[in-house]
Amino acid sequence: MDFAAARHLADGFNFRAHTPHKIAHELLRWDREFKDADYTELVAAVTLWQSSSRD
């Protein structure tokens, strides 16, 4: 998740401005790495990432 987040941060995506659901939706829609990911698991992963991130 950190690597994907770093790519999206570099592109200007503000993870703090969006809910985990919105971020998961965007990752599933636009990031090839996550195209076949389970939505619920991705929301959980984003939530954990946001809670541990120091941004």
Side-chain angles (χ1 to χ4, degrees):
M1 189 73 204
D2 286 335
F3 183 70
R7 281 194 326 248
H8 291 281
L9 285 169
D11 289 338
F13 189 82
N14 182 353
F15 282 89
R16 295 287 180 208
H18 301 287
T19 66
H21 292 274
K22 170 69 172 170
I23 295 168
H25 174 77
E26 293 297 316
L27 289 174
L28 286 169
R29 185 171 179 196
W30 300 109
D31 194 318
R32 298 176 117 199
E33 183 177 333
F34 295 100
K35 77 177 188 98
D36 293 323
D38 178 89
Y39 177 76
T40 304
E41 290 178 10
L42 191 52
V43 169
V46 170
T47 302
L48 287 172
W49 181 85
Q50 278 186 324
S51 69
S52 67
S53 179
R54 296 183 187 154
D55 269 0

